[in-house]
Amino acid sequence: MNTAMRPDIQNPPVVIRTSDVSKRFILRKDKALKERIVNFGRSQKHRSDFWALRDVAFEITAGTSVGLVGANGSGKSTMLKIIGGIIQTDTGFVERRGRVAALLELGAGFHPDLTGRENVYLNGSILGLSQKQTAEYFDSIVEFSEIGEFIDTQVKFYSSGMYVRLAFAIAVHVDPDILLVDEVLAVGDEPFQAKCMNKIREFQRDGRTIVFVSHSAPQIEDLCDRVVVLSHGRIVYDGETEGGIAALRRTFKG
Amino acid sequence: MSNEAQRRADRLRELPFERATASFNGSFGSFVRSIREIAGQRELLGLLVRRELKARYKDSSLGFLWSLIRPLTMLVIYYVAIGQFLGAARGVPDFAIFVFAGLTIWGLYSEIVTGGTTSIIGNAGLIKKVSLPREIFPLAATGSALFNFIVQFIVLIVATIVLGQAPLSWNLLYVPASIAIVLIWGVALGLLLSAVNVYLRDVQYLVEVAMLILFWASPIVYAWSFVVDAAARSGITWLTDLYLANPVTIAVLGFQKGMWVAGSSESVIDGQTIPPQPWPADLDLRIAVMLGIGIVFAIICQRVFQKLQGNFAQEI
Ligand SMILES: Nc1ncnc2c1ncn2[C@@H]1O[C@H](COP(=O)(O)OP(=O)(O)OP(=O)(O)O)[C@@H](O)[C@H]1O
Ligand SMILES: [Mg+2]
């Protein structure tokens, strides 16, 4: 079983703690001033809201790899963005400690007009590294991503695989304590996916914490010690991996 | 191996928990905290400014020369069309310096405001993916506007020296004060409008139009003396007060008073004696007031920004 590879950590501290997190999205039909004014009095009709997350509470201890799974639209990406501090909760809160690197829905925050090199520095800086620190990691980032001379090409000319390669390479080279991964590996080719898996295993041995969103049951079974299943924004299962996959299948049936 | 894991765990146990998103509590302390947060991201800010400048001129062969070509073209247009054809130059000594001074300080303001307004939308890619104090984006727009301003400012200084009009007097003190007004008001508006623009995309077009109008509401291509004369002729004295209620107008006047020496002395053009500019008597006081109100306004704008920024990533 994969958990056998995990290092023993005595008394592992909690690194992510979510407390009754709820998130409501308000869906407006329009953003233009004209419609806003025309519909002013009847604005209730032109907005509907729904809860993407409802009272989600869990704690993650250092060194665990948690798979966050659920049907499309169940709120996985939303939860990850909340943990990453990119969107706010409506109720409840998320607390965390340690450096967080996030690979959210198709990659890191890159600026399309800048080269790969410049984006590496930009992202390093966003993750709290100084220019000097980034410079130290730079060569291994490029090497890991295998994008070679394209590092000096504007990222808008990258293929989606190259984009994710660079994003993943940056995220794993900045020494994060917590890694958030949202389905990004799917676009990499087979050798690169394998390379990423190896890197993730190495991360697990280092005792880093990983929250992993994926639709691939084999990947989840392979990597995670624990699975949290979301359905319509609520946790319907939280426990060991095998039961998690079964619970996930049950949510598909209704 | 497992030693490393244990060490990491032990280190993490000592760290305090941090909220994933700083929740806004509406106190003055949060303003100070925001400033401290942003100061902690100076290096990132510098990178973003450079990025902004680079991204803008990246694909052009003349590069950053374009930041000069635009204002110089405007100078020529206004010099010829307004100065010569419409005859404004007959009442304004050293018309070229006068216009370029006005264009330079106005350019700073309009670039901060228009660049700031679109800065959040324009950085959607980053805002949706990474968590950082979002004030950084309007501030980066300000930084790149400042860069362009400095380039123009140097050209202006060189021009005054070449034309034998070096602005060496105590009036030069008006220059930093005017720049400060423009920065404070520009950043405040940039913050406010960038946030509102996320929810109401019309704002950016509205700003463009407003800037067109405001350009003519300050004495940039016509002199302040024209305004005074017009107000006197019409007999409505509060007109000049209304005109001076605009912070940018005060900044433009201060900047001109500092940089355009010919405006402060009597001069002769085509045999006609032109009196010095009737600078507002209480210009110093007005500058101080505009600075004071500007700071309060900036604090309010930053608060509004904080209130709105929580939902940026999902609204873009
Ligand atoms: N910015 C937004 N504005 C409005 N609704 C949103 C926004 N982001 C997400 N939602 C809604 O929230 C719900 C959950 O979305 P989320 O992206 O978290 O799903 P997911 O579990 O990641 O799905 P998938 O497996 O397809 O990636 C969806 O119904 C989606 O439409
Ligand atoms: Mg998703």
Side-chain angles (χ1 to χ4, degrees), chain A residues 76-77 105 182-183 213:
Chain A
K76 304 179 296 294
S77 301
E105 291 175 322
D182 191 349
E183 282 187 292
V213 172

PDB file of all heavy atoms in Angstrom, chain A residues 76-77 105 182-183 213, ligand 2:
ATOM      1  N   LYS A  76     -14.789  21.581  -6.027  1.00  0.00           N
ATOM      2  CA  LYS A  76     -13.393  21.271  -5.719  1.00  0.00           C
ATOM      3  C   LYS A  76     -12.465  22.452  -5.993  1.00  0.00           C
ATOM      4  O   LYS A  76     -11.676  22.848  -5.136  1.00  0.00           O
ATOM      5  CB  LYS A  76     -12.931  20.064  -6.553  1.00  0.00           C
ATOM      6  CG  LYS A  76     -13.782  18.838  -6.390  1.00  0.00           C
ATOM      7  CD  LYS A  76     -13.281  17.699  -7.246  1.00  0.00           C
ATOM      8  CE  LYS A  76     -13.345  17.971  -8.739  1.00  0.00           C
ATOM      9  NZ  LYS A  76     -14.702  18.101  -9.273  1.00  0.00           N
ATOM     10  N   SER A  77     -12.574  22.980  -7.197  1.00  0.00           N
ATOM     11  CA  SER A  77     -11.688  24.093  -7.546  1.00  0.00           C
ATOM     12  C   SER A  77     -11.959  25.285  -6.647  1.00  0.00           C
ATOM     13  O   SER A  77     -11.030  25.998  -6.246  1.00  0.00           O
ATOM     14  CB  SER A  77     -11.890  24.497  -9.003  1.00  0.00           C
ATOM     15  OG  SER A  77     -11.618  23.407  -9.836  1.00  0.00           O
ATOM     16  N   GLU A 105      -6.355  25.224 -11.728  1.00  0.00           N
ATOM     17  CA  GLU A 105      -6.942  25.157 -13.062  1.00  0.00           C
ATOM     18  C   GLU A 105      -6.049  25.739 -14.147  1.00  0.00           C
ATOM     19  O   GLU A 105      -6.034  26.940 -14.384  1.00  0.00           O
ATOM     20  CB  GLU A 105      -8.270  25.907 -13.080  1.00  0.00           C
ATOM     21  CG  GLU A 105      -9.338  25.212 -12.284  1.00  0.00           C
ATOM     22  CD  GLU A 105     -10.609  26.045 -12.236  1.00  0.00           C
ATOM     23  OE1 GLU A 105     -10.507  27.278 -12.136  1.00  0.00           O
ATOM     24  OE2 GLU A 105     -11.684  25.454 -12.296  1.00  0.00           O
ATOM     25  N   ASP A 182      -4.567  21.330  -8.947  1.00  0.00           N
ATOM     26  CA  ASP A 182      -5.917  21.160  -9.479  1.00  0.00           C
ATOM     27  C   ASP A 182      -5.869  20.659 -10.914  1.00  0.00           C
ATOM     28  O   ASP A 182      -5.804  21.440 -11.861  1.00  0.00           O
ATOM     29  CB  ASP A 182      -6.675  22.493  -9.404  1.00  0.00           C
ATOM     30  CG  ASP A 182      -8.157  22.317  -9.697  1.00  0.00           C
ATOM     31  OD1 ASP A 182      -8.548  21.225 -10.154  1.00  0.00           O
ATOM     32  OD2 ASP A 182      -8.914  23.268  -9.461  1.00  0.00           O
ATOM     33  N   GLU A 183      -5.906  19.364 -11.078  1.00  0.00           N
ATOM     34  CA  GLU A 183      -6.085  18.768 -12.417  1.00  0.00           C
ATOM     35  C   GLU A 183      -5.097  19.224 -13.458  1.00  0.00           C
ATOM     36  O   GLU A 183      -5.398  19.154 -14.641  1.00  0.00           O
ATOM     37  CB  GLU A 183      -7.479  19.128 -12.948  1.00  0.00           C
ATOM     38  CG  GLU A 183      -8.563  18.313 -12.350  1.00  0.00           C
ATOM     39  CD  GLU A 183      -9.869  18.616 -13.043  1.00  0.00           C
ATOM     40  OE1 GLU A 183     -10.396  19.731 -12.901  1.00  0.00           O
ATOM     41  OE2 GLU A 183     -10.353  17.719 -13.709  1.00  0.00           O
ATOM     42  N   VAL A 213      -6.507  17.603  -6.573  1.00  0.00           N
ATOM     43  CA  VAL A 213      -7.819  17.450  -7.208  1.00  0.00           C
ATOM     44  C   VAL A 213      -7.628  16.708  -8.510  1.00  0.00           C
ATOM     45  O   VAL A 213      -6.781  17.082  -9.324  1.00  0.00           O
ATOM     46  CB  VAL A 213      -8.465  18.820  -7.494  1.00  0.00           C
ATOM     47  CG1 VAL A 213      -9.724  18.648  -8.337  1.00  0.00           C
ATOM     48  CG2 VAL A 213      -8.788  19.530  -6.197  1.00  0.00           C
TER      49      VAL A 213
HETATM   50 MG    MG C   2     -12.365  22.282 -11.153  1.00  0.00          MG
END
